[in-house]
Amino acid sequence: MSERGNRKTQIGVVVSDKMDKTAVVKVERLVKHPVYNKYIKRSAKYKAHDIDNSAKIGDRVVIVETRPLSKDKRWKIRQIIEPKA
């Protein structure tokens, strides 16, 4: 356990790496429809800090919540799970 307590982590796919030290990560989740009881895909995009500019488009990454780094950045890339083939 880190000394900063429990931080939220999410797994997503990098959809943009054009910014310096920043990657846009799309995270998808399944939500059950209240009436029809079918699962719907919902997605959210997060700007994540990428200190080495190592994440490329299509990479599957783990992002972790962190302190605000800029106006939009509140996540940091912890590791690249599987690079794009």
Side-chain angles (χ1 to χ4, degrees), residues 17-23 48-53 73:
D17 62 349
K18 293 181 185 286
M19 293 173 275
D20 188 33
K21 296 186 180 177
T22 304
H49 190 60
D50 182 16
I51 192 79
D52 304 326
N53 285 324
K73 279 202 289 188

Side-chain angles (χ1 to χ4, degrees), residues 22-39:
T22 304
V24 179
V25 180
K26 183 177 181 180
V27 177
E28 288 190 340
R29 60 192 176 95
L30 289 176
V31 178
K32 196 172 191 178
H33 191 280
V35 176
Y36 300 117
N37 290 329
K38 290 193 170 198
Y39 286 95

